[in-house]
């Protein structure tokens, strides 16, 4: 899947500006750079932000490398031209922005000391491909940091009720106002949508010769506005309500999440991010 490739308006940007989102990504970037910096005889010469989107993580990588006084070359890759354009505007010439995919980036970026791959691994139907590419593109002792909030374990205990209520209210709105009754997606039956467990990620990394330096869940507190912003991102809307045209799915998801927060009397909801740093040997 190459998301957003031809999308004229790249709408992930609003979600990427939420404080909790910046914080989880910043923690991953810092942990990845710190683990690599513990090898003092090996400077960081080249770093990649894979699936850079609109550049929020690229910016964190630029700042992190500056703090460590590592004047590395930074490459940022994404399949979406419109996202790359926004990222270029945000980051300027501190990074080189290149069109490419997680399945085939080693032709545009090799000899890497660091790879960051934030909030995108769950989009890949075959995760072997990115681990294979990363093991080819990384130098020995290069580090690979990735995170996802779509894995088995991402729902904080007790919050399943919220997701059920949100989808129920969205389906009701679509029925009442648009006369459509979409099927509920079943993640467990579609391999590309299946969320992996932390142990499955561990096995994949080990199979591709990585040593796991850190793997933990980090809790982030999500506001109603953040769900409304992520609902506006077509990749999310299509995943939540497959087959429903975006112009109907997006407002239904946005109104339904506000109803669910109101009904549950909450202003924030915890969600887990799986944060992983692995080292090539
Ligand atoms: C949710 S955004 C994450 C952006 C950024 N990494 C961040 O954490 O804020 C997912 C990104 O993955 C990109 N993407 C989708 N399929 C991809 C693929 N096969 N290879 C690389 N990137 C992909 C999308 O274009 C999008 O920019």
């Amino acid at each position: 899947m190459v998301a957003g490739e031809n999308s004229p308006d790249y709408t992930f940007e609003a979600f990427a500006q939420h404080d909790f989102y910046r914080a989880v990504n910043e923690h991953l970037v810092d942990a990845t750079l710190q683990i690599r910096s513990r090898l003092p005889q090996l400077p960081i010469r080249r770093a990649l932000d894979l699936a850079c989107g609109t550049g929020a993580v690229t910016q964190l990588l630029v700042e992190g490398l500056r703090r460590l006084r590592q004047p590395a070359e930074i490459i940022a890759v994404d399949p979406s031209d419109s996202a790359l354009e926004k990222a270029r505007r945000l980051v300027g010439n501190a990074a080189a922005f290149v069109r490419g995919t997680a399945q085939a980036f080693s032709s545009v970026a090799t000899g890497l000391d660091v790879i960051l791959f934030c909030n995108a691994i769950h989009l890949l139907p075959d995760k072997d491909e990115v681990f294979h590419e990363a093991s080819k593109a990384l130098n020995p002792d290069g580090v690979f940091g990735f995170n996802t909030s779509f894995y088995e374990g991402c729902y904080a205990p007790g919050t399943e009720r919220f997701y059920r209520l949100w989808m129920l209210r969205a389906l009701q709105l679509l029925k009442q106002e648009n006369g459509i009754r979409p099927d509920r997606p079943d993640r467990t039956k579609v391999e590309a949508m299946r969320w992996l467990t932390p142990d499955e990620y561990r096995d994949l990394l080990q199979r591709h010769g990585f040593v796991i330096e850190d793997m933990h869940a980090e809790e982030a507190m999500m506001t109603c506005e953040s769900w409304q912003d992520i609902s506006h991102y077509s990749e999310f809307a299509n995943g939540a309500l497959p087959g429903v045209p975006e112009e109907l799915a997006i407002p239904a998801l946005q109104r339904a999440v506000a109803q669910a927060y109101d009904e549950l009397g909450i202003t924030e909801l915890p969600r887990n991010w799986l944060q992983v740093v692995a080292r090539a040997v």
Side-chain angles (χ1 to χ4, degrees):
M1 172 170 25
V2 178
E5 195 164 13
N6 301 309
S7 141
D9 175 24
Y10 198 87
T11 50
F12 186 70
E13 214 177 11
F15 181 73
Q17 283 161 16
H18 285 273
D19 286 346
F20 71 83
Y21 186 74
R22 181 186 160 94
V24 284
N25 290 327
E26 191 165 31
H27 296 158
L28 181 78
V29 172
D30 288 350
T32 305
L33 294 179
Q34 266 164 28
I35 284 167
R36 184 55 170 68
S37 304
R38 276 193 227 132
L39 307 162
Q41 74 283 19
L42 295 174
I44 301 173
R45 295 190 201 282
R46 186 176 287 171
L48 170 71
D49 180 17
L50 183 60
C52 66
T54 49
V57 173
T58 321
Q59 185 72 47
L60 293 172
L61 180 58
V62 170
E63 290 165 5
L65 286 166
R66 264 191 207 136
R67 277 197 300 276
L68 290 171
R69 298 180 197 284
Q70 297 272 357
E73 175 190 357
I74 302 174
I75 305 160
V77 164
D78 199 279
S80 162
D81 287 329
S82 55
L84 287 170
E85 193 44 48
K86 290 194 181 214
R88 261 185 216 109
R89 258 182 262 145
L90 179 73
V91 178
N93 58 12
F97 292 93
V98 183
R99 193 171 198 271
T101 67
Q103 291 89 336
F105 66 89
S106 63
S107 55
V108 290
T110 51
L112 298 166
D113 302 308
V114 171
I115 299 176
L116 283 159
F117 186 38
C118 290
N119 302 294
I121 198 162
H122 50 270
L123 300 174
L124 305 182
D126 180 358
K127 289 160 188 53
D128 268 307
E129 292 174 329
V130 69
F131 292 118
H132 177 67
E133 283 289 281
S135 65
K136 273 203 298 188
L138 280 168
N139 291 327
D141 282 324
V143 286
F144 182 25
F146 67 91
N147 64 5
T148 177
S149 61
F150 296 87
Y151 71 101
E152 274 315 321
C154 65
Y155 291 172
T159 60
E160 295 83 357
R161 194 170 149 232
F162 156 74
Y163 296 100
R164 280 197 300 273
L165 183 61
W166 181 11
M167 286 309 121
L168 178 68
R169 295 290 175 255
L171 293 171
Q172 285 171 339
L173 282 169
L174 286 168
K175 185 169 164 230
Q176 284 157 14
E177 301 193 359
N178 308 103
I180 55 173
R181 302 177 75 136
D183 291 335
R184 299 187 80 144
D186 186 348
R187 280 191 296 106
T188 57
K189 299 222 172 87
V190 186
E191 184 59 25
M193 290 166 65
R194 203 173 68 79
W195 292 347
L196 269 56
T197 64
D199 281 344
E200 286 175 306
Y201 277 115
R202 192 180 293 279
D203 288 349
L204 275 169
L205 282 162
Q206 285 167 348
R207 214 177 324 128
H208 286 275
F210 285 94
V211 171
I212 296 163
E213 295 283 348
D214 182 35
M215 181 181 275
H216 71 276
E218 177 167 337
E219 191 179 90
M221 296 304 289
M222 297 194 57
T223 58
C224 182
E225 292 72 29
S226 67
W227 287 118
Q228 291 179 322
D229 285 340
I230 194 74
S231 299
H232 203 257
Y233 176 48
S234 50
E235 190 78 36
F236 182 88
N238 292 330
L241 293 171
V244 180
E246 279 170 27
E247 63 277 15
L248 302 182
I250 293 167
L253 288 168
Q254 289 178 326
R255 287 173 56 197
V257 75
Q259 284 180 17
Y261 266 58
D262 271 357
E263 283 177 51
L264 296 175
I266 55 173
T267 53
E268 288 182 320
L269 183 103
R271 172 123 178 168
N272 293 327
W273 257 254
L274 184 66
Q275 307 268 62
V276 182
V277 184
R279 182 170 49 85
V281 285

